[in-house]
Amino acid sequence: MNIEEFTDKFSCVAQEHPLLTVCRSTPKTKCSTDQQFTLNFYSIILNKHKSGVFQYGRTKYDGDNGSMYFMKPGQTIMGENLEWGMDGFNLSFKEDYLVGHPLHSEIKKYRYFDYEVNEALHLSPGEEQTMKELYTKIETEYFNNQDEFSREIILGHIASILRYSQRFYKRQFLHRTELSGKLISRFNEQLLAYYESGQLSEFGLPSVKYMANQLHLSSRYLSDVLKQETGKTAIDLIHTFLISEAKNLLKGTGLSVSEIAYSLGFENHPYFSRLFKRVSGVTPNEFKNQPLN
């Protein structure tokens, strides 16, 4: 789906630029695609989802909080009888609009473009006002006889929206864990279940994608929340868990280092030993021979 088709679904006015479109939505705005489409542009939407189904990624979303959604080229979306519930906006632009500007590379660093719809950014009233003010500045520039300065000004405001979104997501990571319980606890429970079920020796190390699926999250969202909670990435935490189990096996069984490595899903014995030393500061054999205090 191209920008023209996408914005037509939102009943937007005619585009002023072939690579960029801005569109306000109201509670009367309706959108229905009734089928999946793959985008060839970036899109940032602020609105309250009143009714219907909105989907990108694997997950359908039917909540009603004021939220921001971030989609990128190649993302598949779907809307069924979709109605918005507040005055919001849709800001869409092709990657070519960013060419020659620092935002062309910076935008790839914002991991929330890989989140799923149920991991949308939920704004406080103050945060919502900030985003609306930035959008209004873009809209004013967009419809005000664009000149050689317009693109630079608009991209500056888009960059601000993205940076504020990064800040607000960090706030969300902290506040939402208070409601749903620390994600690290749920993460470790899934790791323990994987280990105790014997899947380590059968299938090897669990991937971040596997862990995210078990927790009904996207890989990027899982890693970012864990990083915020613990200062460590998901793969770091998987390794820390396994080294802890390895220590127990080294001290509590007569298994060799290679046998323990294999039982914990490491097919490469030297890699296990290097990882063990990086995490623990000593090699597996040195740890095994240390006296218990």
PDB file of all heavy atoms in Angstrom, residues 136-169:
ATOM      1  N   THR A 136       1.272  19.906  15.100  1.00  0.00           N
ATOM      2  CA  THR A 136       0.699  21.162  14.586  1.00  0.00           C
ATOM      3  C   THR A 136       1.762  22.004  13.895  1.00  0.00           C
ATOM      4  O   THR A 136       1.500  22.633  12.856  1.00  0.00           O
ATOM      5  CB  THR A 136       0.053  21.957  15.740  1.00  0.00           C
ATOM      6  OG1 THR A 136      -1.028  21.190  16.285  1.00  0.00           O
ATOM      7  CG2 THR A 136      -0.492  23.289  15.245  1.00  0.00           C
ATOM      8  N   LYS A 137       2.972  22.012  14.431  1.00  0.00           N
ATOM      9  CA  LYS A 137       4.061  22.754  13.789  1.00  0.00           C
ATOM     10  C   LYS A 137       4.383  22.161  12.416  1.00  0.00           C
ATOM     11  O   LYS A 137       4.641  22.888  11.462  1.00  0.00           O
ATOM     12  CB  LYS A 137       5.304  22.728  14.687  1.00  0.00           C
ATOM     13  CG  LYS A 137       5.142  23.547  15.964  1.00  0.00           C
ATOM     14  CD  LYS A 137       6.387  23.444  16.838  1.00  0.00           C
ATOM     15  CE  LYS A 137       6.210  24.265  18.110  1.00  0.00           C
ATOM     16  NZ  LYS A 137       7.413  24.173  18.988  1.00  0.00           N
ATOM     17  N   ILE A 138       4.369  20.824  12.340  1.00  0.00           N
ATOM     18  CA  ILE A 138       4.602  20.167  11.054  1.00  0.00           C
ATOM     19  C   ILE A 138       3.486  20.504  10.077  1.00  0.00           C
ATOM     20  O   ILE A 138       3.731  20.845   8.913  1.00  0.00           O
ATOM     21  CB  ILE A 138       4.700  18.640  11.242  1.00  0.00           C
ATOM     22  CG1 ILE A 138       5.944  18.280  12.051  1.00  0.00           C
ATOM     23  CG2 ILE A 138       4.715  17.923   9.898  1.00  0.00           C
ATOM     24  CD1 ILE A 138       6.019  16.820  12.459  1.00  0.00           C
ATOM     25  N   GLU A 139       2.263  20.427  10.548  1.00  0.00           N
ATOM     26  CA  GLU A 139       1.101  20.701   9.699  1.00  0.00           C
ATOM     27  C   GLU A 139       1.122  22.138   9.184  1.00  0.00           C
ATOM     28  O   GLU A 139       0.838  22.387   8.000  1.00  0.00           O
ATOM     29  CB  GLU A 139      -0.170  20.438  10.504  1.00  0.00           C
ATOM     30  CG  GLU A 139      -1.451  20.570   9.699  1.00  0.00           C
ATOM     31  CD  GLU A 139      -2.673  20.339  10.565  1.00  0.00           C
ATOM     32  OE1 GLU A 139      -2.829  21.073  11.580  1.00  0.00           O
ATOM     33  OE2 GLU A 139      -3.464  19.437  10.248  1.00  0.00           O
ATOM     34  N   THR A 140       1.464  23.079  10.053  1.00  0.00           N
ATOM     35  CA  THR A 140       1.524  24.489   9.657  1.00  0.00           C
ATOM     36  C   THR A 140       2.546  24.700   8.553  1.00  0.00           C
ATOM     37  O   THR A 140       2.282  25.382   7.548  1.00  0.00           O
ATOM     38  CB  THR A 140       1.885  25.369  10.866  1.00  0.00           C
ATOM     39  OG1 THR A 140       0.868  25.218  11.870  1.00  0.00           O
ATOM     40  CG2 THR A 140       1.989  26.831  10.457  1.00  0.00           C
ATOM     41  N   GLU A 141       3.718  24.079   8.712  1.00  0.00           N
ATOM     42  CA  GLU A 141       4.768  24.201   7.703  1.00  0.00           C
ATOM     43  C   GLU A 141       4.363  23.519   6.401  1.00  0.00           C
ATOM     44  O   GLU A 141       4.638  23.999   5.303  1.00  0.00           O
ATOM     45  CB  GLU A 141       6.062  23.610   8.244  1.00  0.00           C
ATOM     46  CG  GLU A 141       7.289  23.899   7.430  1.00  0.00           C
ATOM     47  CD  GLU A 141       7.655  25.383   7.424  1.00  0.00           C
ATOM     48  OE1 GLU A 141       7.431  26.070   8.458  1.00  0.00           O
ATOM     49  OE2 GLU A 141       8.139  25.856   6.376  1.00  0.00           O
ATOM     50  N   TYR A 142       3.675  22.398   6.545  1.00  0.00           N
ATOM     51  CA  TYR A 142       3.285  21.580   5.395  1.00  0.00           C
ATOM     52  C   TYR A 142       2.328  22.326   4.467  1.00  0.00           C
ATOM     53  O   TYR A 142       2.440  22.264   3.235  1.00  0.00           O
ATOM     54  CB  TYR A 142       2.632  20.300   5.906  1.00  0.00           C
ATOM     55  CG  TYR A 142       2.288  19.269   4.857  1.00  0.00           C
ATOM     56  CD1 TYR A 142       3.254  18.405   4.350  1.00  0.00           C
ATOM     57  CD2 TYR A 142       0.979  19.132   4.399  1.00  0.00           C
ATOM     58  CE1 TYR A 142       2.933  17.440   3.407  1.00  0.00           C
ATOM     59  CE2 TYR A 142       0.639  18.174   3.458  1.00  0.00           C
ATOM     60  CZ  TYR A 142       1.625  17.324   2.963  1.00  0.00           C
ATOM     61  OH  TYR A 142       1.298  16.370   2.030  1.00  0.00           O
ATOM     62  N   PHE A 143       1.382  23.051   5.064  1.00  0.00           N
ATOM     63  CA  PHE A 143       0.356  23.731   4.271  1.00  0.00           C
ATOM     64  C   PHE A 143       0.658  25.225   4.054  1.00  0.00           C
ATOM     65  O   PHE A 143      -0.205  25.964   3.615  1.00  0.00           O
ATOM     66  CB  PHE A 143      -1.005  23.592   4.949  1.00  0.00           C
ATOM     67  CG  PHE A 143      -1.562  22.189   4.913  1.00  0.00           C
ATOM     68  CD1 PHE A 143      -1.684  21.454   6.084  1.00  0.00           C
ATOM     69  CD2 PHE A 143      -1.930  21.599   3.713  1.00  0.00           C
ATOM     70  CE1 PHE A 143      -2.192  20.150   6.057  1.00  0.00           C
ATOM     71  CE2 PHE A 143      -2.436  20.306   3.679  1.00  0.00           C
ATOM     72  CZ  PHE A 143      -2.559  19.578   4.860  1.00  0.00           C
ATOM     73  N   ASN A 144       1.882  25.645   4.362  1.00  0.00           N
ATOM     74  CA  ASN A 144       2.201  27.075   4.287  1.00  0.00           C
ATOM     75  C   ASN A 144       3.202  27.370   3.168  1.00  0.00           C
ATOM     76  O   ASN A 144       4.287  27.899   3.389  1.00  0.00           O
ATOM     77  CB  ASN A 144       2.771  27.560   5.634  1.00  0.00           C
ATOM     78  CG  ASN A 144       2.889  29.061   5.703  1.00  0.00           C
ATOM     79  OD1 ASN A 144       2.119  29.779   5.082  1.00  0.00           O
ATOM     80  ND2 ASN A 144       3.878  29.535   6.463  1.00  0.00           N
ATOM     81  N   ASN A 145       2.804  27.013   1.925  1.00  0.00           N
ATOM     82  CA  ASN A 145       3.648  27.321   0.760  1.00  0.00           C
ATOM     83  C   ASN A 145       5.097  26.874   0.992  1.00  0.00           C
ATOM     84  O   ASN A 145       6.001  27.688   1.190  1.00  0.00           O
ATOM     85  CB  ASN A 145       3.609  28.824   0.437  1.00  0.00           C
ATOM     86  CG  ASN A 145       2.226  29.301   0.072  1.00  0.00           C
ATOM     87  OD1 ASN A 145       1.490  28.619  -0.651  1.00  0.00           O
ATOM     88  ND2 ASN A 145       1.843  30.475   0.566  1.00  0.00           N
ATOM     89  N   GLN A 146       5.322  25.590   0.933  1.00  0.00           N
ATOM     90  CA  GLN A 146       6.634  25.024   1.244  1.00  0.00           C
ATOM     91  C   GLN A 146       7.730  25.641   0.374  1.00  0.00           C
ATOM     92  O   GLN A 146       7.545  25.856  -0.833  1.00  0.00           O
ATOM     93  CB  GLN A 146       6.599  23.511   1.043  1.00  0.00           C
ATOM     94  CG  GLN A 146       5.660  22.787   2.022  1.00  0.00           C
ATOM     95  CD  GLN A 146       5.727  21.285   1.865  1.00  0.00           C
ATOM     96  OE1 GLN A 146       6.801  20.702   1.787  1.00  0.00           O
ATOM     97  NE2 GLN A 146       4.566  20.635   1.834  1.00  0.00           N
ATOM     98  N   ASP A 147       8.873  25.910   1.011  1.00  0.00           N
ATOM     99  CA  ASP A 147      10.021  26.476   0.307  1.00  0.00           C
ATOM    100  C   ASP A 147      11.263  25.662   0.634  1.00  0.00           C
ATOM    101  O   ASP A 147      11.167  24.541   1.138  1.00  0.00           O
ATOM    102  CB  ASP A 147      10.205  27.953   0.683  1.00  0.00           C
ATOM    103  CG  ASP A 147      10.333  28.160   2.193  1.00  0.00           C
ATOM    104  OD1 ASP A 147      10.797  27.215   2.890  1.00  0.00           O
ATOM    105  OD2 ASP A 147       9.990  29.248   2.688  1.00  0.00           O
ATOM    106  N   GLU A 148      12.453  26.213   0.372  1.00  0.00           N
ATOM    107  CA  GLU A 148      13.684  25.450   0.552  1.00  0.00           C
ATOM    108  C   GLU A 148      13.998  25.158   2.015  1.00  0.00           C
ATOM    109  O   GLU A 148      14.856  24.321   2.330  1.00  0.00           O
ATOM    110  CB  GLU A 148      14.872  26.193  -0.091  1.00  0.00           C
ATOM    111  CG  GLU A 148      15.264  27.496   0.566  1.00  0.00           C
ATOM    112  CD  GLU A 148      14.544  28.700  -0.012  1.00  0.00           C
ATOM    113  OE1 GLU A 148      13.418  28.526  -0.546  1.00  0.00           O
ATOM    114  OE2 GLU A 148      15.096  29.815   0.064  1.00  0.00           O
ATOM    115  N   PHE A 149      13.312  25.841   2.950  1.00  0.00           N
ATOM    116  CA  PHE A 149      13.545  25.612   4.368  1.00  0.00           C
ATOM    117  C   PHE A 149      12.564  24.600   4.978  1.00  0.00           C
ATOM    118  O   PHE A 149      12.794  24.078   6.072  1.00  0.00           O
ATOM    119  CB  PHE A 149      13.431  26.928   5.147  1.00  0.00           C
ATOM    120  CG  PHE A 149      14.404  27.977   4.707  1.00  0.00           C
ATOM    121  CD1 PHE A 149      13.993  29.029   3.909  1.00  0.00           C
ATOM    122  CD2 PHE A 149      15.742  27.908   5.080  1.00  0.00           C
ATOM    123  CE1 PHE A 149      14.882  29.999   3.489  1.00  0.00           C
ATOM    124  CE2 PHE A 149      16.647  28.875   4.674  1.00  0.00           C
ATOM    125  CZ  PHE A 149      16.208  29.925   3.869  1.00  0.00           C
ATOM    126  N   SER A 150      11.475  24.347   4.274  1.00  0.00           N
ATOM    127  CA  SER A 150      10.375  23.570   4.855  1.00  0.00           C
ATOM    128  C   SER A 150      10.790  22.153   5.243  1.00  0.00           C
ATOM    129  O   SER A 150      10.465  21.682   6.340  1.00  0.00           O
ATOM    130  CB  SER A 150       9.203  23.512   3.874  1.00  0.00           C
ATOM    131  OG  SER A 150       8.684  24.797   3.637  1.00  0.00           O
ATOM    132  N   ARG A 151      11.481  21.467   4.348  1.00  0.00           N
ATOM    133  CA  ARG A 151      11.847  20.071   4.625  1.00  0.00           C
ATOM    134  C   ARG A 151      12.709  19.969   5.873  1.00  0.00           C
ATOM    135  O   ARG A 151      12.477  19.099   6.731  1.00  0.00           O
ATOM    136  CB  ARG A 151      12.573  19.467   3.422  1.00  0.00           C
ATOM    137  CG  ARG A 151      13.072  18.044   3.649  1.00  0.00           C
ATOM    138  CD  ARG A 151      13.664  17.468   2.362  1.00  0.00           C
ATOM    139  NE  ARG A 151      14.306  16.190   2.598  1.00  0.00           N
ATOM    140  CZ  ARG A 151      15.584  16.050   2.977  1.00  0.00           C
ATOM    141  NH1 ARG A 151      16.345  17.136   3.148  1.00  0.00           N
ATOM    142  NH2 ARG A 151      16.106  14.857   3.169  1.00  0.00           N
ATOM    143  N   GLU A 152      13.697  20.840   6.013  1.00  0.00           N
ATOM    144  CA  GLU A 152      14.581  20.803   7.171  1.00  0.00           C
ATOM    145  C   GLU A 152      13.800  21.070   8.460  1.00  0.00           C
ATOM    146  O   GLU A 152      14.020  20.419   9.486  1.00  0.00           O
ATOM    147  CB  GLU A 152      15.696  21.838   7.015  1.00  0.00           C
ATOM    148  CG  GLU A 152      16.836  21.702   8.013  1.00  0.00           C
ATOM    149  CD  GLU A 152      17.726  20.502   7.747  1.00  0.00           C
ATOM    150  OE1 GLU A 152      17.736  19.997   6.606  1.00  0.00           O
ATOM    151  OE2 GLU A 152      18.401  20.064   8.709  1.00  0.00           O
ATOM    152  N   ILE A 153      12.886  22.001   8.414  1.00  0.00           N
ATOM    153  CA  ILE A 153      12.074  22.333   9.589  1.00  0.00           C
ATOM    154  C   ILE A 153      11.170  21.152   9.958  1.00  0.00           C
ATOM    155  O   ILE A 153      11.065  20.758  11.126  1.00  0.00           O
ATOM    156  CB  ILE A 153      11.244  23.604   9.333  1.00  0.00           C
ATOM    157  CG1 ILE A 153      12.176  24.817   9.234  1.00  0.00           C
ATOM    158  CG2 ILE A 153      10.203  23.807  10.435  1.00  0.00           C
ATOM    159  CD1 ILE A 153      11.491  26.090   8.758  1.00  0.00           C
ATOM    160  N   ILE A 154      10.509  20.585   8.957  1.00  0.00           N
ATOM    161  CA  ILE A 154       9.600  19.463   9.203  1.00  0.00           C
ATOM    162  C   ILE A 154      10.358  18.271   9.762  1.00  0.00           C
ATOM    163  O   ILE A 154       9.930  17.629  10.737  1.00  0.00           O
ATOM    164  CB  ILE A 154       8.853  19.081   7.909  1.00  0.00           C
ATOM    165  CG1 ILE A 154       7.822  20.162   7.560  1.00  0.00           C
ATOM    166  CG2 ILE A 154       8.166  17.721   8.058  1.00  0.00           C
ATOM    167  CD1 ILE A 154       7.165  19.978   6.200  1.00  0.00           C
ATOM    168  N   LEU A 155      11.509  17.962   9.178  1.00  0.00           N
ATOM    169  CA  LEU A 155      12.297  16.819   9.661  1.00  0.00           C
ATOM    170  C   LEU A 155      12.791  17.055  11.084  1.00  0.00           C
ATOM    171  O   LEU A 155      12.902  16.116  11.879  1.00  0.00           O
ATOM    172  CB  LEU A 155      13.467  16.554   8.719  1.00  0.00           C
ATOM    173  CG  LEU A 155      13.107  15.914   7.382  1.00  0.00           C
ATOM    174  CD1 LEU A 155      14.322  15.834   6.469  1.00  0.00           C
ATOM    175  CD2 LEU A 155      12.516  14.522   7.591  1.00  0.00           C
ATOM    176  N   GLY A 156      13.073  18.309  11.412  1.00  0.00           N
ATOM    177  CA  GLY A 156      13.467  18.618  12.792  1.00  0.00           C
ATOM    178  C   GLY A 156      12.352  18.307  13.767  1.00  0.00           C
ATOM    179  O   GLY A 156      12.596  17.761  14.859  1.00  0.00           O
ATOM    180  N   HIS A 157      11.113  18.624  13.391  1.00  0.00           N
ATOM    181  CA  HIS A 157       9.970  18.336  14.262  1.00  0.00           C
ATOM    182  C   HIS A 157       9.692  16.825  14.341  1.00  0.00           C
ATOM    183  O   HIS A 157       9.328  16.303  15.400  1.00  0.00           O
ATOM    184  CB  HIS A 157       8.735  19.078  13.774  1.00  0.00           C
ATOM    185  CG  HIS A 157       8.837  20.571  13.892  1.00  0.00           C
ATOM    186  ND1 HIS A 157       9.367  21.194  15.001  1.00  0.00           N
ATOM    187  CD2 HIS A 157       8.458  21.567  13.040  1.00  0.00           C
ATOM    188  CE1 HIS A 157       9.319  22.501  14.840  1.00  0.00           C
ATOM    189  NE2 HIS A 157       8.782  22.755  13.658  1.00  0.00           N
ATOM    190  N   ILE A 158       9.849  16.117  13.213  1.00  0.00           N
ATOM    191  CA  ILE A 158       9.681  14.662  13.236  1.00  0.00           C
ATOM    192  C   ILE A 158      10.721  14.037  14.154  1.00  0.00           C
ATOM    193  O   ILE A 158      10.415  13.136  14.954  1.00  0.00           O
ATOM    194  CB  ILE A 158       9.793  14.074  11.816  1.00  0.00           C
ATOM    195  CG1 ILE A 158       8.601  14.513  10.956  1.00  0.00           C
ATOM    196  CG2 ILE A 158       9.856  12.541  11.874  1.00  0.00           C
ATOM    197  CD1 ILE A 158       8.688  14.066   9.505  1.00  0.00           C
ATOM    198  N   ALA A 159      11.964  14.517  14.066  1.00  0.00           N
ATOM    199  CA  ALA A 159      13.019  14.014  14.946  1.00  0.00           C
ATOM    200  C   ALA A 159      12.654  14.232  16.416  1.00  0.00           C
ATOM    201  O   ALA A 159      12.902  13.372  17.269  1.00  0.00           O
ATOM    202  CB  ALA A 159      14.345  14.691  14.614  1.00  0.00           C
ATOM    203  N   SER A 160      12.040  15.378  16.710  1.00  0.00           N
ATOM    204  CA  SER A 160      11.625  15.661  18.093  1.00  0.00           C
ATOM    205  C   SER A 160      10.542  14.691  18.550  1.00  0.00           C
ATOM    206  O   SER A 160      10.557  14.211  19.687  1.00  0.00           O
ATOM    207  CB  SER A 160      11.125  17.103  18.209  1.00  0.00           C
ATOM    208  OG  SER A 160      12.192  18.018  18.019  1.00  0.00           O
ATOM    209  N   ILE A 161       9.581  14.400  17.660  1.00  0.00           N
ATOM    210  CA  ILE A 161       8.534  13.433  18.003  1.00  0.00           C
ATOM    211  C   ILE A 161       9.156  12.088  18.357  1.00  0.00           C
ATOM    212  O   ILE A 161       8.777  11.435  19.338  1.00  0.00           O
ATOM    213  CB  ILE A 161       7.543  13.285  16.834  1.00  0.00           C
ATOM    214  CG1 ILE A 161       6.635  14.518  16.748  1.00  0.00           C
ATOM    215  CG2 ILE A 161       6.687  12.019  16.997  1.00  0.00           C
ATOM    216  CD1 ILE A 161       5.674  14.501  15.567  1.00  0.00           C
ATOM    217  N   LEU A 162      10.139  11.662  17.566  1.00  0.00           N
ATOM    218  CA  LEU A 162      10.760  10.360  17.794  1.00  0.00           C
ATOM    219  C   LEU A 162      11.558  10.342  19.094  1.00  0.00           C
ATOM    220  O   LEU A 162      11.549   9.349  19.827  1.00  0.00           O
ATOM    221  CB  LEU A 162      11.650   9.994  16.612  1.00  0.00           C
ATOM    222  CG  LEU A 162      10.928   9.839  15.265  1.00  0.00           C
ATOM    223  CD1 LEU A 162      11.922   9.515  14.160  1.00  0.00           C
ATOM    224  CD2 LEU A 162       9.856   8.763  15.337  1.00  0.00           C
ATOM    225  N   ARG A 163      12.245  11.430  19.392  1.00  0.00           N
ATOM    226  CA  ARG A 163      13.028  11.479  20.631  1.00  0.00           C
ATOM    227  C   ARG A 163      12.117  11.526  21.857  1.00  0.00           C
ATOM    228  O   ARG A 163      12.396  10.881  22.866  1.00  0.00           O
ATOM    229  CB  ARG A 163      13.964  12.688  20.600  1.00  0.00           C
ATOM    230  CG  ARG A 163      15.100  12.523  19.593  1.00  0.00           C
ATOM    231  CD  ARG A 163      15.911  13.780  19.434  1.00  0.00           C
ATOM    232  NE  ARG A 163      16.831  13.649  18.300  1.00  0.00           N
ATOM    233  CZ  ARG A 163      17.155  14.637  17.480  1.00  0.00           C
ATOM    234  NH1 ARG A 163      16.622  15.836  17.657  1.00  0.00           N
ATOM    235  NH2 ARG A 163      17.994  14.433  16.487  1.00  0.00           N
ATOM    236  N   TYR A 164      11.059  12.314  21.773  1.00  0.00           N
ATOM    237  CA  TYR A 164      10.100  12.326  22.878  1.00  0.00           C
ATOM    238  C   TYR A 164       9.466  10.940  23.054  1.00  0.00           C
ATOM    239  O   TYR A 164       9.232  10.494  24.184  1.00  0.00           O
ATOM    240  CB  TYR A 164       9.004  13.368  22.632  1.00  0.00           C
ATOM    241  CG  TYR A 164       9.346  14.752  23.129  1.00  0.00           C
ATOM    242  CD1 TYR A 164       9.559  15.795  22.235  1.00  0.00           C
ATOM    243  CD2 TYR A 164       9.450  15.020  24.485  1.00  0.00           C
ATOM    244  CE1 TYR A 164       9.874  17.071  22.673  1.00  0.00           C
ATOM    245  CE2 TYR A 164       9.755  16.296  24.946  1.00  0.00           C
ATOM    246  CZ  TYR A 164       9.973  17.312  24.040  1.00  0.00           C
ATOM    247  OH  TYR A 164      10.288  18.572  24.496  1.00  0.00           O
ATOM    248  N   SER A 165       9.210  10.263  21.957  1.00  0.00           N
ATOM    249  CA  SER A 165       8.629   8.919  22.044  1.00  0.00           C
ATOM    250  C   SER A 165       9.565   7.974  22.787  1.00  0.00           C
ATOM    251  O   SER A 165       9.127   7.148  23.594  1.00  0.00           O
ATOM    252  CB  SER A 165       8.328   8.381  20.641  1.00  0.00           C
ATOM    253  OG  SER A 165       7.381   9.193  19.980  1.00  0.00           O
ATOM    254  N   GLN A 166      10.851   8.102  22.500  1.00  0.00           N
ATOM    255  CA  GLN A 166      11.840   7.283  23.209  1.00  0.00           C
ATOM    256  C   GLN A 166      11.786   7.560  24.701  1.00  0.00           C
ATOM    257  O   GLN A 166      11.812   6.649  25.530  1.00  0.00           O
ATOM    258  CB  GLN A 166      13.244   7.588  22.663  1.00  0.00           C
ATOM    259  CG  GLN A 166      14.348   6.738  23.248  1.00  0.00           C
ATOM    260  CD  GLN A 166      14.518   5.431  22.515  1.00  0.00           C
ATOM    261  OE1 GLN A 166      13.562   4.911  21.937  1.00  0.00           O
ATOM    262  NE2 GLN A 166      15.718   4.900  22.543  1.00  0.00           N
ATOM    263  N   ARG A 167      11.724   8.830  25.067  1.00  0.00           N
ATOM    264  CA  ARG A 167      11.644   9.202  26.484  1.00  0.00           C
ATOM    265  C   ARG A 167      10.364   8.668  27.116  1.00  0.00           C
ATOM    266  O   ARG A 167      10.383   8.104  28.213  1.00  0.00           O
ATOM    267  CB  ARG A 167      11.679  10.725  26.623  1.00  0.00           C
ATOM    268  CG  ARG A 167      11.354  11.202  28.031  1.00  0.00           C
ATOM    269  CD  ARG A 167      11.199  12.710  28.110  1.00  0.00           C
ATOM    270  NE  ARG A 167      12.500  13.365  28.100  1.00  0.00           N
ATOM    271  CZ  ARG A 167      12.654  14.696  28.158  1.00  0.00           C
ATOM    272  NH1 ARG A 167      11.591  15.485  28.200  1.00  0.00           N
ATOM    273  NH2 ARG A 167      13.863  15.218  28.165  1.00  0.00           N
ATOM    274  N   PHE A 168       9.240   8.829  26.433  1.00  0.00           N
ATOM    275  CA  PHE A 168       7.958   8.414  26.999  1.00  0.00           C
ATOM    276  C   PHE A 168       7.864   6.895  27.121  1.00  0.00           C
ATOM    277  O   PHE A 168       7.218   6.369  28.034  1.00  0.00           O
ATOM    278  CB  PHE A 168       6.808   8.963  26.158  1.00  0.00           C
ATOM    279  CG  PHE A 168       6.740  10.472  26.126  1.00  0.00           C
ATOM    280  CD1 PHE A 168       6.074  11.126  25.097  1.00  0.00           C
ATOM    281  CD2 PHE A 168       7.337  11.238  27.115  1.00  0.00           C
ATOM    282  CE1 PHE A 168       6.013  12.511  25.052  1.00  0.00           C
ATOM    283  CE2 PHE A 168       7.280  12.631  27.087  1.00  0.00           C
ATOM    284  CZ  PHE A 168       6.617  13.268  26.048  1.00  0.00           C
ATOM    285  N   TYR A 169       8.487   6.170  26.189  1.00  0.00           N
ATOM    286  CA  TYR A 169       8.504   4.714  26.303  1.00  0.00           C
ATOM    287  C   TYR A 169       9.262   4.283  27.561  1.00  0.00           C
ATOM    288  O   TYR A 169       8.859   3.332  28.239  1.00  0.00           O
ATOM    289  CB  TYR A 169       9.137   4.068  25.066  1.00  0.00           C
ATOM    290  CG  TYR A 169       8.123   3.441  24.142  1.00  0.00           C
ATOM    291  CD1 TYR A 169       7.962   3.898  22.837  1.00  0.00           C
ATOM    292  CD2 TYR A 169       7.321   2.377  24.556  1.00  0.00           C
ATOM    293  CE1 TYR A 169       7.032   3.329  21.977  1.00  0.00           C
ATOM    294  CE2 TYR A 169       6.391   1.809  23.704  1.00  0.00           C
ATOM    295  CZ  TYR A 169       6.251   2.282  22.425  1.00  0.00           C
ATOM    296  OH  TYR A 169       5.320   1.711  21.586  1.00  0.00           O
TER     297      TYR A 169
END
